[in-house]
Amino acid sequence: MPKVSVILPIYNVAPYLDEAFQSLINQTLEDIEIIAVNDGSTDKSQQYIERYAKQDVRIKYFYQNNQGQSVARNLAIEHATGEYIYMMDSDDRIELNTLEACYQYAEHTKADFIFFDGDIFYDKGAEELTWDYKRTYLCKEGVQYQGDFLLNKMIDTEKHSCVVWLLFIRKNYLDKIGLRFYPGIIQEDELYTTILTLNSNNIFCMQKTLVHHRVRNTSTMGKRYSKKNINCYLTVFDELFKFQDSLLTQKFAKYTLSKVFYTGHIIPLKDKPAILERALKSGYLKYIGWKNIIVFLFKS
């Protein structure tokens, strides 16, 4: 059993795979497995995967027709044999001591999962983000946190971050709660990380910046906002409320959907009525707010 299973979904990122694989195969923690899933790439990604797999026996790889990141990650999780899971974006890179530092800290704390910080770097022409991935300063190292407390704190400070590549998760905990990614949506991390957090009373932070996150023009973050983005967020809350309908998840819905619909004013007018009808039927108007509905409908 390796200490860590690294899950690496891959889709048309050939120019970045050297950096990603190099940051993994040169980790100071050697007892790892790397599970790469090619999600139907049409570029040279498969060639890079096969080349690195020949160089390093710790690399396993699978190919699937394009079904999205959720399905790719779920496939990798089913084949993971490590004590811990780390899910990396295939165009990012991590510090060379990342997995060793996370493993030692998680073993010391006996955490269900730990979280840490990341920084951002941009490809030429990529639009700069209006947020960052620094939030561990809000917590204390060595202190055990409950998931509902953490989610509430991150909402109140507007530092909530749903990305899974800032998490290091105990495999036994993941198996115990049976959590997998919801297929077919863009914001799969939003649902997954929230449920992962709310299920746990045993979370620790590590105040280190370990991930270097790339922002590209063609990445999910870099794509223009569309009706699919909004519909996927609505699906997130449909599923989240099935898991838990509480004051906290309602607060989270207001925190998220108010921003989603305010930003959504940029989508074409013809796409707005169907989205609004769905939100109203789901009873989400109280989370979106009339002001944001008016902006969504009439601001161009």
Side-chain angles (χ1 to χ4, degrees):
M1 179 185 293
K3 289 183 169 65
V4 182
S5 296
V6 179
I7 290 175
L8 194 68
I10 293 171
Y11 180 70
N12 287 352
V13 287
Y16 312 108
L17 285 177
D18 274 329
E19 282 186 86
F21 275 119
Q22 287 294 328
S23 75
L24 287 173
I25 65 177
N26 292 310
Q27 286 290 303
T28 56
L29 181 68
E30 297 181 357
D31 189 8
I32 66 174
E33 64 178 1
I34 302 161
I35 307 175
V37 179
N38 184 352
D39 185 34
S41 296
T42 57
D43 65 358
K44 295 182 178 180
S45 291
Q46 185 64 24
Q47 296 176 28
Y48 281 87
I49 296 168
E50 292 176 0
R51 175 159 60 84
Y52 275 98
K54 288 179 181 178
Q55 295 175 16
D56 197 318
V57 297
R58 299 174 299 173
I59 299 174
K60 307 174 185 178
Y61 66 89
F62 300 89
Y63 180 90
Q64 65 179 28
N65 293 328
N66 182 242
Q67 299 176 69
Q69 192 161 238
S70 289
V71 177
R73 284 173 172 164
N74 288 342
L75 174 62
I77 290 171
E78 293 306 314
H79 288 88
T81 62
E83 298 174 52
Y84 293 89
I85 298 286
Y86 176 64
M87 303 184 206
M88 180 174 166
D89 274 8
S90 53
D91 52 356
D92 289 353
R93 60 178 185 265
I94 59 176
E95 290 291 315
L96 296 183
N97 68 334
T98 293
L99 300 182
E100 182 175 20
C102 288
Y103 181 82
Q104 290 178 350
Y105 187 62
E107 283 289 281
H108 174 71
T109 59
K110 306 302 180 187
D112 290 336
F113 68 92
I114 64 174
F115 64 98
F116 39 88
D117 289 334
D119 61 20
I120 302 167
F121 66 104
Y122 297 90
D123 273 2
K124 184 177 180 180
E127 185 177 348
E128 291 196 14
L129 304 182
T130 57
W131 63 89
D132 61 31
Y133 295 101
K134 308 285 188 182
R135 55 184 174 149
T136 61
Y137 68 88
L138 295 169
C139 305
K140 294 181 179 179
E141 282 197 351
V143 174
Q144 182 180 12
Y145 289 96
Q146 295 182 339
D148 54 359
F149 172 86
L150 275 179
L151 180 58
N152 192 61
K153 187 178 185 69
M154 296 302 170
I155 292 171
D156 284 345
T157 55
E158 297 197 345
K159 295 300 292 183
H160 172 67
S161 181
C162 66
V163 294
V164 294
W165 40 264
L166 292 179
L167 309 177
F168 189 79
I169 308 166
R170 188 178 297 272
K171 179 66 158 50
N172 285 345
Y173 169 63
L174 204 54
D175 292 340
K176 178 183 175 182
I177 64 175
L179 182 61
R180 295 297 183 266
F181 289 90
Y182 189 91
I185 59 174
I186 302 172
Q187 286 82 15
E188 69 278 353
D189 285 14
E190 198 82 46
L191 179 62
Y192 185 92
T193 303
T194 304
I195 295 178
L196 186 82
T197 300
L198 290 175
N199 264 302
S200 180
N201 293 318
N202 187 30
I203 305 167
F204 288 78
C205 82
M206 184 165 60
Q207 293 175 329
K208 294 182 184 297
T209 299
L210 299 174
V211 182
H212 305 287
H213 178 63
R214 184 191 307 272
V215 176
R216 301 183 281 134
N217 273 330
T218 55
S219 68
T220 302
M221 284 295 185
K223 290 179 181 175
R224 182 174 173 82
Y225 219 70
S226 70
K227 65 178 180 180
K228 183 174 182 179
N229 293 82
I230 304 175
N231 275 319
C232 287
Y233 272 113
L234 293 174
T235 299
V236 165
F237 285 97
D238 290 344
E239 295 303 313
L240 182 58
F241 284 131
K242 290 177 186 177
F243 167 73
Q244 181 186 116
D245 189 349
S246 65
L247 290 176
L248 179 55
T249 54
Q250 292 168 22
K251 180 178 180 178
F252 182 46
K254 183 176 182 180
Y255 171 83
T256 304
L257 292 179
S258 59
K259 294 180 174 65
V260 167
F261 273 78
Y262 183 89
T263 306
H265 73 266
I266 66 174
I267 73 171
L269 181 62
K270 64 182 178 61
D271 294 334
K272 293 180 180 182
I275 293 172
L276 186 58
E277 181 181 6
R278 179 183 174 186
L280 292 175
K281 285 182 177 179
S282 299
Y284 293 161
L285 178 59
K286 58 188 174 183
Y287 307 126
I288 301 166
W290 279 110
K291 178 181 177 181
N292 294 311
I293 291 293
I294 291 170
V295 170
F296 174 72
L297 286 174
F298 299 113
K299 185 177 178 181
S300 60

